[in-house]
């Protein structure tokens, strides 16, 4: 049997190992959200970064350095008891910001379509259906049913007795257009209108990609 001294040594080693593990794996703190070593988003002075999606760090850095990083924030205020619910609410609010972002581009997209279908017969109907297709895309984004958006970071800030939970949502256009295409084209009327646009030299999804890939202003 191990002696008391040996037992105490084993306990000490285990305790030290656990302390090191907790130190290494605790959520990073600081005044910036980073991606692969690059600062991408400032944090409030007293905020604590409690989550960062390390799996997407390199991609987020690529988007940031190429000027195509599109991010949205959502916030929830709580008593700090149910943190899971607070984060989910903050996430929903971030997706609302994403939906509003696309709504503001409806007019731009409509103008792009309108400018390229002047010679198409019954162009008003085609334009209307095309814009409806884009509206459907914004719905998909707001409902988080199209790939391309993910929570990259979460931070918390104590303000008195309240906890402000903020989610940083990153939208990556890669894959989003293709996913939207498959969903939207399932609608027969919209599919027909978009095919008609294509026959007249108007690439609906190319324009869609150009609009949604533009970095957030």
């Amino acid at each position: 049997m191990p002696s008391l001294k040996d037992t105490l040594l084993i306990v000490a080693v285990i305790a030290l190992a656990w302390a090191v593990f907790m130190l290494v794996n605790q959520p990073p703190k600081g005044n910036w959200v980073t991606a692969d070593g690059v600062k991408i988003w400032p944090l409030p002075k007293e905020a604590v970064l409690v989550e960062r999606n390390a799996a997407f760090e390199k991609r987020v850095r690529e988007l940031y350095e190429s000027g195509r990083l599109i991010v949205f924030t959502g916030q929830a205020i709580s008593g700090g008891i149910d943190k899971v619910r607070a984060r989910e609410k903050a996430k929903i609010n971030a997706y609302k910001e994403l939906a509003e972002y696309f709504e503001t581009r409806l007019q731009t997209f409509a103008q792009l379509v309108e400018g390229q279908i002047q010679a198409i017969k019954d162009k008003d109907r085609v334009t209307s259906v095309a814009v409806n297709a884009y509206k459907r895309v914004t719905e998909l984004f707001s409902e988080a049913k199209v790939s391309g958006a993910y929570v990259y970071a979460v931070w918390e800030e104590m303000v008195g007795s309240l906890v402000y939970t903020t989610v940083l949502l990153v939208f990556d256009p890669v894959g989003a257009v293709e996913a939207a295409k498959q969903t939207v084209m399932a609608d027969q009327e919209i599919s027909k209108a978009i095919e008609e646009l294509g026959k007249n030299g108007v690439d609906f999804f190319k324009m869609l990609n150009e609009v949604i890939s533009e970095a957030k202003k």
Side-chain angles (χ1 to χ4, degrees):
M1 293 180 64
S3 66
L4 178 60
K5 183 178 179 180
D6 291 336
T7 301
L8 291 175
L9 179 60
I10 293 173
V11 171
V13 170
I14 293 174
L16 179 61
W18 176 253
V20 172
F21 175 82
M22 292 300 293
L23 181 63
V24 172
N25 290 278
Q26 68 178 344
K29 298 181 180 180
N31 292 324
W32 285 87
V33 174
T34 62
D36 200 24
V38 175
K39 297 176 179 179
I40 65 166
W41 193 265
L43 296 176
K45 184 177 180 180
E46 301 301 323
V48 177
L49 186 63
V50 296
E51 182 181 315
R52 184 179 59 207
N53 196 333
F56 291 101
E57 280 198 79
K58 289 186 178 180
R59 178 56 182 164
V60 172
R61 178 175 179 171
E62 290 174 0
L63 291 169
Y64 178 80
E65 293 183 335
S66 63
R68 295 183 296 122
L69 180 63
I70 305 174
V71 298
F72 304 88
T73 58
Q75 192 174 78
I77 304 174
S78 68
I81 298 176
D82 192 342
K83 293 188 176 183
V84 174
R85 181 175 295 181
R87 292 186 189 186
E88 188 60 29
K89 184 175 180 181
K91 178 181 175 181
I92 291 172
N93 289 334
Y95 270 105
K96 287 181 180 178
E97 291 294 320
L98 173 61
E100 290 176 7
Y101 168 75
F102 286 107
E103 285 291 344
T104 62
R105 277 153 173 72
L106 272 175
Q107 184 175 358
T108 299
F109 184 76
Q111 290 173 348
L112 285 173
V113 174
E114 179 71 21
Q116 295 191 39
I117 61 177
Q118 292 296 326
I120 298 178
K121 184 179 179 181
D122 198 11
K123 65 181 181 65
D124 290 337
R125 180 190 63 79
V126 177
T127 301
S128 176
V129 174
V131 173
N132 283 338
Y134 189 65
K135 286 182 177 180
R136 177 56 185 144
V137 171
T138 65
E139 290 174 2
L140 294 172
F141 288 140
S142 65
E143 296 166 2
K145 292 182 179 179
V146 171
S147 61
Y150 48 83
V151 173
Y152 180 67
V154 181
W155 60 88
E156 296 174 350
E157 183 180 11
M158 286 291 298
V159 180
S161 61
L162 299 176
V163 176
Y164 286 67
T165 300
T166 305
V167 161
L168 184 70
L169 186 75
V170 170
F171 174 73
D172 189 336
V174 176
V177 171
E178 185 59 34
K181 180 178 180 180
Q182 292 178 7
T183 303
V184 171
M185 292 297 279
D187 185 302
Q188 188 173 359
E189 182 180 8
I190 292 178
S191 176
K192 183 178 179 180
I194 291 177
E195 289 176 359
E196 187 174 345
L197 288 173
K199 293 177 182 178
N200 288 273
V202 180
D203 192 328
F204 177 91
F205 289 103
K206 180 181 180 180
M207 288 190 293
L208 175 60
N209 183 59
E210 291 175 352
V211 171
I212 70 171
S213 295
E214 179 186 3
K216 185 180 178 184
K217 304 299 183 181

Coordinates of all heavy atoms in Angstrom, one line a residue, residues 17-79:
A17 N -2.3 19.2 -11.9 CA -2.7 18.9 -13.2 C -4.1 19.5 -13.5 O -4.3 20.1 -14.6 CB -2.7 17.4 -13.5
W18 N -5.0 19.4 -12.6 CA -6.3 20.0 -12.8 C -6.3 21.5 -12.9 O -7.0 22.1 -13.7 CB -7.2 19.5 -11.6 CG -8.6 20.1 -11.7 CD1 -9.1 21.1 -10.9 CD2 -9.6 19.8 -12.6 NE1 -10.4 21.4 -11.3 CE2 -10.7 20.6 -12.3 CE3 -9.7 18.9 -13.6 CZ2 -11.9 20.6 -13.0 CZ3 -10.9 18.8 -14.4 CH2 -12.0 19.7 -14.0
A19 N -5.4 22.1 -12.0 CA -5.3 23.6 -12.1 C -4.8 24.0 -13.4 O -5.2 25.0 -14.0 CB -4.4 24.0 -10.9
V20 N -3.8 23.3 -13.9 CA -3.2 23.7 -15.2 C -4.2 23.5 -16.3 O -4.3 24.3 -17.2 CB -1.9 22.8 -15.5 CG1 -1.5 23.0 -16.9 CG2 -0.8 23.1 -14.5
F21 N -5.0 22.4 -16.3 CA -6.0 22.1 -17.2 C -7.0 23.3 -17.3 O -7.4 23.8 -18.3 CB -6.7 20.8 -16.9 CG -7.9 20.5 -17.8 CD1 -7.7 20.0 -19.1 CD2 -9.2 20.8 -17.4 CE1 -8.8 19.7 -19.9 CE2 -10.3 20.6 -18.3 CZ -10.1 20.0 -19.5
M22 N -7.5 23.7 -16.1 CA -8.5 24.8 -16.0 C -7.9 26.1 -16.5 O -8.6 26.9 -17.2 CB -9.0 24.9 -14.6 CG -9.8 23.7 -14.0 SD -11.3 23.4 -15.0 CE -12.2 24.9 -14.6
L23 N -6.7 26.3 -16.2 CA -6.0 27.6 -16.7 C -5.9 27.6 -18.2 O -6.2 28.6 -18.8 CB -4.6 27.7 -16.0 CG -3.8 28.9 -16.4 CD1 -4.6 30.2 -15.9 CD2 -2.4 28.9 -15.8
V24 N -5.5 26.5 -18.8 CA -5.4 26.4 -20.2 C -6.7 26.5 -21.0 O -6.8 27.1 -22.0 CB -4.6 25.2 -20.6 CG1 -4.6 25.0 -22.1 CG2 -3.2 25.2 -20.1
N25 N -7.7 25.8 -20.4 CA -9.0 25.7 -21.1 C -10.1 26.7 -20.7 O -11.2 26.6 -21.2 CB -9.5 24.3 -20.9 CG -8.7 23.2 -21.6 OD1 -8.9 23.0 -22.8 ND2 -7.8 22.6 -20.8
Q26 N -9.7 27.6 -19.8 CA -10.8 28.6 -19.5 C -11.0 29.5 -20.6 O -10.1 29.8 -21.4 CB -10.3 29.4 -18.2 CG -9.1 30.3 -18.5 CD -8.8 31.1 -17.2 OE1 -9.6 31.2 -16.3 NE2 -7.6 31.7 -17.2
P27 N -12.2 30.1 -20.8 CA -12.5 31.0 -21.9 C -11.6 32.2 -21.9 O -11.2 32.7 -20.8 CB -14.0 31.4 -21.6 CG -14.5 30.3 -20.8 CD -13.4 29.9 -19.9
P28 N -11.1 32.6 -23.0 CA -10.1 33.7 -23.1 C -10.8 35.0 -22.7 O -12.0 35.2 -22.9 CB -9.7 33.7 -24.6 CG -10.9 33.1 -25.3 CD -11.4 32.0 -24.3
K29 N -10.0 35.8 -22.0 CA -10.5 37.1 -21.6 C -9.7 38.2 -22.3 O -8.6 38.1 -22.6 CB -10.4 37.3 -20.1 CG -11.2 36.3 -19.3 CD -11.1 36.5 -17.8 CE -11.9 35.5 -17.0 NZ -11.7 35.7 -15.5
G30 N -10.3 39.4 -22.4 CA -9.6 40.5 -23.1 C -10.6 41.5 -23.6 O -11.8 41.3 -23.5
N31 N -10.0 42.5 -24.2 CA -10.9 43.6 -24.8 C -11.1 43.4 -26.3 O -11.6 44.4 -26.9 CB -10.2 44.9 -24.5 CG -10.2 45.2 -23.0 OD1 -11.2 44.8 -22.3 ND2 -9.2 45.8 -22.5
W32 N -10.7 42.3 -26.8 CA -11.0 42.1 -28.3 C -11.4 40.6 -28.5 O -11.0 39.7 -27.8 CB -9.7 42.3 -29.1 CG -9.3 43.8 -29.2 CD1 -8.6 44.5 -28.4 CD2 -9.7 44.6 -30.3 NE1 -8.5 45.8 -28.8 CE2 -9.1 45.9 -30.0 CE3 -10.4 44.4 -31.5 CZ2 -9.3 47.0 -30.9 CZ3 -10.6 45.5 -32.3 CH2 -10.0 46.8 -32.0
V33 N -12.2 40.5 -29.5 CA -12.5 39.2 -30.1 C -11.4 39.0 -31.2 O -11.3 39.9 -32.0 CB -13.9 39.1 -30.7 CG1 -14.1 37.7 -31.4 CG2 -15.0 39.3 -29.6
T34 N -10.7 37.9 -31.1 CA -9.7 37.7 -32.1 C -10.0 36.5 -33.0 O -10.8 35.6 -32.7 CB -8.3 37.4 -31.4 OG1 -8.4 36.2 -30.6 CG2 -7.9 38.6 -30.5
A35 N -9.3 36.4 -34.1 CA -9.5 35.3 -35.0 C -8.1 34.9 -35.5 O -7.5 35.7 -36.3 CB -10.4 35.6 -36.2
D36 N -7.6 33.8 -35.1 CA -6.2 33.3 -35.5 C -5.2 34.4 -35.2 O -4.3 34.7 -36.0 CB -6.2 33.0 -37.0 CG -5.1 32.1 -37.4 OD1 -4.6 31.4 -36.5 OD2 -4.7 32.1 -38.6
G37 N -5.3 35.1 -34.1 CA -4.3 36.1 -33.6 C -4.6 37.5 -34.1 O -3.9 38.4 -33.7
V38 N -5.7 37.7 -34.9 CA -6.0 39.0 -35.4 C -7.2 39.6 -34.7 O -8.2 38.9 -34.5 CB -6.3 39.0 -36.9 CG1 -6.7 40.3 -37.4 CG2 -5.0 38.5 -37.7
K39 N -7.1 40.8 -34.2 CA -8.2 41.5 -33.5 C -9.3 41.9 -34.6 O -9.0 42.5 -35.5 CB -7.7 42.8 -32.8 CG -6.7 42.5 -31.7 CD -6.2 43.9 -31.1 CE -5.2 43.6 -30.0 NZ -4.7 44.9 -29.5
I40 N -10.5 41.4 -34.3 CA -11.6 41.7 -35.3 C -12.7 42.4 -34.7 O -13.5 43.0 -35.4 CB -12.1 40.4 -35.9 CG1 -12.8 39.5 -34.8 CG2 -11.0 39.6 -36.6 CD1 -13.6 38.4 -35.4
W41 N -12.9 42.4 -33.4 CA -14.0 43.1 -32.8 C -13.7 43.6 -31.4 O -13.3 42.8 -30.5 CB -15.2 42.2 -32.8 CG -16.5 42.9 -32.5 CD1 -17.1 43.0 -31.2 CD2 -17.4 43.5 -33.4 NE1 -18.3 43.7 -31.4 CE2 -18.5 44.1 -32.7 CE3 -17.3 43.8 -34.8 CZ2 -19.5 44.8 -33.3 CZ3 -18.3 44.5 -35.4 CH2 -19.4 45.0 -34.6
P42 N -13.9 44.9 -31.1 CA -13.6 45.4 -29.7 C -14.7 45.0 -28.7 O -15.8 44.9 -29.1 CB -13.5 46.9 -29.9 CG -14.5 47.1 -31.1 CD -14.3 45.9 -32.0
L43 N -14.2 44.7 -27.5 CA -15.2 44.4 -26.4 C -15.2 45.5 -25.4 O -14.3 46.3 -25.2 CB -14.7 43.1 -25.7 CG -14.7 41.8 -26.5 CD1 -14.1 40.7 -25.6 CD2 -16.1 41.5 -27.0
P44 N -16.3 45.7 -24.7 CA -16.4 46.6 -23.6 C -15.3 46.3 -22.6 O -14.9 45.2 -22.4 CB -17.8 46.4 -23.0 CG -18.6 45.8 -24.2 CD -17.6 45.0 -24.9
K45 N -14.9 47.3 -21.9 CA -13.8 47.2 -21.0 C -14.0 46.1 -19.9 O -13.0 45.3 -19.6 CB -13.5 48.5 -20.3 CG -12.3 48.5 -19.3 CD -12.1 49.9 -18.7 CE -10.9 49.9 -17.8 NZ -10.6 51.2 -17.2
E46 N -15.2 46.0 -19.4 CA -15.4 45.0 -18.3 C -16.0 43.7 -18.8 O -16.4 42.8 -18.0 CB -16.4 45.6 -17.3 CG -15.9 46.9 -16.6 CD -14.6 46.7 -15.9 OE1 -14.4 45.6 -15.3 OE2 -13.7 47.6 -16.0
A47 N -16.1 43.5 -20.1 CA -16.7 42.3 -20.7 C -15.8 41.1 -20.5 O -14.5 41.3 -20.6 CB -17.0 42.5 -22.2
V48 N -16.4 40.0 -20.4 CA -15.6 38.7 -20.3 C -16.0 37.8 -21.5 O -17.2 37.5 -21.7 CB -15.9 38.0 -19.0 CG1 -15.2 36.6 -19.0 CG2 -15.5 38.8 -17.8
L49 N -15.0 37.5 -22.3 CA -15.3 36.6 -23.4 C -15.4 35.2 -22.9 O -14.5 34.6 -22.4 CB -14.1 36.7 -24.4 CG -14.2 35.9 -25.7 CD1 -15.4 36.5 -26.6 CD2 -12.9 36.0 -26.5
V50 N -16.6 34.6 -23.1 CA -16.9 33.3 -22.5 C -16.9 32.2 -23.6 O -17.0 31.0 -23.2 CB -18.2 33.3 -21.7 CG1 -18.1 34.2 -20.5 CG2 -19.4 33.7 -22.6
E51 N -16.9 32.6 -24.8 CA -16.9 31.6 -25.9 C -16.4 32.1 -27.2 O -16.6 33.3 -27.5 CB -18.4 31.1 -26.1 CG -18.5 30.0 -27.1 CD -20.0 29.6 -27.3 OE1 -20.7 29.4 -26.3 OE2 -20.4 29.4 -28.5
R52 N -15.6 31.3 -27.9 CA -15.1 31.7 -29.2 C -15.0 30.4 -30.0 O -14.5 29.4 -29.5 CB -13.7 32.4 -29.1 CG -13.2 32.8 -30.5 CD -11.9 33.5 -30.4 NE -10.9 32.7 -29.8 CZ -9.8 33.1 -29.1 NH1 -9.7 34.4 -28.9 NH2 -9.0 32.2 -28.6
N53 N -15.6 30.4 -31.2 CA -15.6 29.2 -32.0 C -14.3 29.0 -32.7 O -14.1 29.5 -33.9 CB -16.8 29.4 -33.0 CG -17.2 28.0 -33.6 OD1 -16.3 27.1 -33.7 ND2 -18.4 27.9 -34.1
A54 N -13.4 28.3 -32.1 CA -12.1 28.1 -32.6 C -12.1 27.4 -34.0 O -11.1 27.6 -34.8 CB -11.2 27.3 -31.6
A55 N -13.1 26.6 -34.3 CA -13.1 25.9 -35.6 C -13.2 26.8 -36.8 O -12.8 26.4 -37.9 CB -14.3 25.0 -35.6
F56 N -13.7 28.1 -36.6 CA -13.8 29.0 -37.7 C -12.8 30.1 -37.6 O -12.9 31.1 -38.4 CB -15.2 29.6 -37.7 CG -16.3 28.6 -38.0 CD1 -17.0 28.0 -37.0 CD2 -16.5 28.2 -39.3 CE1 -18.0 27.1 -37.3 CE2 -17.5 27.3 -39.6 CZ -18.3 26.7 -38.6
E57 N -11.8 30.1 -36.8 CA -10.8 31.2 -36.6 C -10.1 31.5 -37.9 O -10.1 32.7 -38.3 CB -9.8 30.8 -35.6 CG -10.3 31.0 -34.1 CD -9.1 31.1 -33.2 OE1 -8.5 32.2 -33.1 OE2 -8.9 30.1 -32.5
K58 N -9.6 30.6 -38.6 CA -8.8 30.9 -39.8 C -9.7 31.5 -40.9 O -9.4 32.4 -41.6 CB -8.2 29.6 -40.3 CG -7.0 29.1 -39.5 CD -6.3 28.0 -40.1 CE -5.1 27.6 -39.2 NZ -4.3 26.4 -39.8
R59 N -11.0 30.9 -41.0 CA -11.9 31.5 -42.0 C -12.3 32.9 -41.7 O -12.4 33.7 -42.6 CB -13.1 30.5 -42.1 CG -14.2 31.0 -43.1 CD -13.6 31.2 -44.5 NE -14.6 31.7 -45.4 CZ -14.3 32.2 -46.6 NH1 -13.0 32.3 -47.0 NH2 -15.2 32.6 -47.4
V60 N -12.6 33.2 -40.4 CA -13.0 34.5 -40.0 C -11.8 35.5 -40.3 O -12.0 36.6 -40.8 CB -13.3 34.5 -38.5 CG1 -13.5 36.0 -38.1 CG2 -14.6 33.8 -38.3
R61 N -10.6 35.0 -40.0 CA -9.4 35.9 -40.3 C -9.4 36.2 -41.8 O -9.1 37.3 -42.2 CB -8.2 35.2 -39.8 CG -6.9 36.1 -40.2 CD -5.7 35.5 -39.6 NE -4.5 36.3 -40.0 CZ -3.3 36.2 -39.5 NH1 -3.0 35.2 -38.6 NH2 -2.3 37.0 -39.9
E62 N -9.6 35.2 -42.7 CA -9.5 35.3 -44.1 C -10.6 36.4 -44.5 O -10.3 37.3 -45.4 CB -9.8 34.0 -44.8 CG -8.7 33.0 -44.7 CD -9.1 31.7 -45.3 OE1 -10.2 31.5 -45.8 OE2 -8.2 30.7 -45.2
L63 N -11.8 36.2 -44.0 CA -12.8 37.2 -44.4 C -12.5 38.6 -43.9 O -12.7 39.6 -44.7 CB -14.2 36.8 -43.7 CG -14.8 35.5 -44.3 CD1 -16.0 35.0 -43.4 CD2 -15.3 35.7 -45.7
Y64 N -11.9 38.7 -42.7 CA -11.5 40.0 -42.2 C -10.5 40.7 -43.0 O -10.6 41.9 -43.4 CB -11.1 39.9 -40.7 CG -10.6 41.2 -40.1 CD1 -11.5 42.1 -39.6 CD2 -9.2 41.5 -40.0 CE1 -11.1 43.2 -39.0 CE2 -8.8 42.6 -39.4 CZ -9.8 43.5 -38.9 OH -9.3 44.7 -38.4
E65 N -9.4 39.9 -43.3 CA -8.3 40.5 -44.1 C -8.6 40.8 -45.5 O -8.0 41.6 -46.2 CB -7.1 39.6 -44.0 CG -6.5 39.5 -42.5 CD -5.3 38.6 -42.4 OE1 -5.1 37.7 -43.3 OE2 -4.5 38.8 -41.5
S66 N -9.7 40.1 -46.1 CA -10.1 40.4 -47.4 C -11.2 41.5 -47.5 O -11.6 41.8 -48.6 CB -10.6 39.1 -48.1 OG -11.7 38.6 -47.5
G67 N -11.5 42.0 -46.3 CA -12.6 43.1 -46.3 C -14.0 42.5 -46.6 O -14.9 43.3 -46.9
R68 N -14.2 41.2 -46.3 CA -15.5 40.7 -46.6 C -16.2 40.1 -45.3 O -17.1 39.3 -45.4 CB -15.4 39.6 -47.7 CG -15.0 40.1 -49.0 CD -15.0 39.0 -50.1 NE -13.9 38.0 -49.7 CZ -14.2 36.7 -49.6 NH1 -15.4 36.3 -49.7 NH2 -13.2 35.8 -49.3
L69 N -15.6 40.5 -44.2 CA -16.2 40.0 -42.9 C -17.5 40.7 -42.6 O -17.6 41.9 -42.5 CB -15.2 40.2 -41.8 CG -15.7 39.7 -40.4 CD1 -16.0 38.2 -40.4 CD2 -14.8 40.1 -39.3
I70 N -18.6 40.0 -42.5 CA -19.9 40.5 -42.2 C -20.4 39.9 -40.9 O -20.5 38.7 -40.7 CB -21.0 40.1 -43.3 CG1 -20.5 40.6 -44.7 CG2 -22.3 40.8 -43.0 CD1 -21.3 40.1 -45.8
V71 N -20.5 40.8 -39.9 CA -20.9 40.4 -38.6 C -22.1 41.1 -38.0 O -22.3 42.3 -38.5 CB -19.7 40.5 -37.6 CG1 -18.5 39.7 -38.0 CG2 -19.3 42.0 -37.4
F72 N -22.8 40.5 -37.1 CA -24.0 41.1 -36.5 C -23.9 40.7 -35.0 O -23.4 39.7 -34.6 CB -25.3 40.5 -37.1 CG -25.3 40.7 -38.6 CD1 -24.8 39.7 -39.5 CD2 -25.9 41.8 -39.1 CE1 -24.8 39.9 -40.8 CE2 -26.0 42.0 -40.5 CZ -25.4 41.0 -41.4
T73 N -24.4 41.6 -34.2 CA -24.5 41.4 -32.8 C -25.9 41.3 -32.3 O -26.8 42.0 -32.8 CB -23.7 42.4 -32.0 OG1 -24.3 43.7 -32.3 CG2 -22.2 42.4 -32.3
G74 N -26.2 40.5 -31.3 CA -27.5 40.4 -30.7 C -27.2 40.3 -29.2 O -26.2 39.8 -28.7
Q75 N -28.1 41.0 -28.4 CA -27.9 41.1 -27.0 C -29.1 40.7 -26.2 O -30.3 40.9 -26.7 CB -27.5 42.6 -26.6 CG -27.0 42.7 -25.2 CD -26.5 44.1 -25.0 OE1 -27.3 45.0 -24.8 NE2 -25.2 44.3 -25.0
A76 N -28.9 40.2 -25.0 CA -30.0 39.8 -24.1 C -29.6 40.2 -22.7 O -28.4 40.1 -22.3 CB -30.2 38.3 -24.2
I77 N -30.5 40.7 -22.0 CA -30.3 41.2 -20.6 C -31.0 40.2 -19.6 O -32.2 40.0 -19.8 CB -30.8 42.6 -20.4 CG1 -30.1 43.6 -21.4 CG2 -30.5 43.1 -19.0 CD1 -30.7 45.0 -21.4
S78 N -30.3 39.8 -18.7 CA -30.9 38.8 -17.7 C -30.3 39.0 -16.3 O -29.4 39.8 -16.1 CB -30.6 37.4 -18.2 OG -29.2 37.1 -18.1
G79 N -30.8 38.1 -15.4 CA -30.3 38.2 -14.1 C -29.1 37.3 -13.9 O -28.5 37.1 -12.8

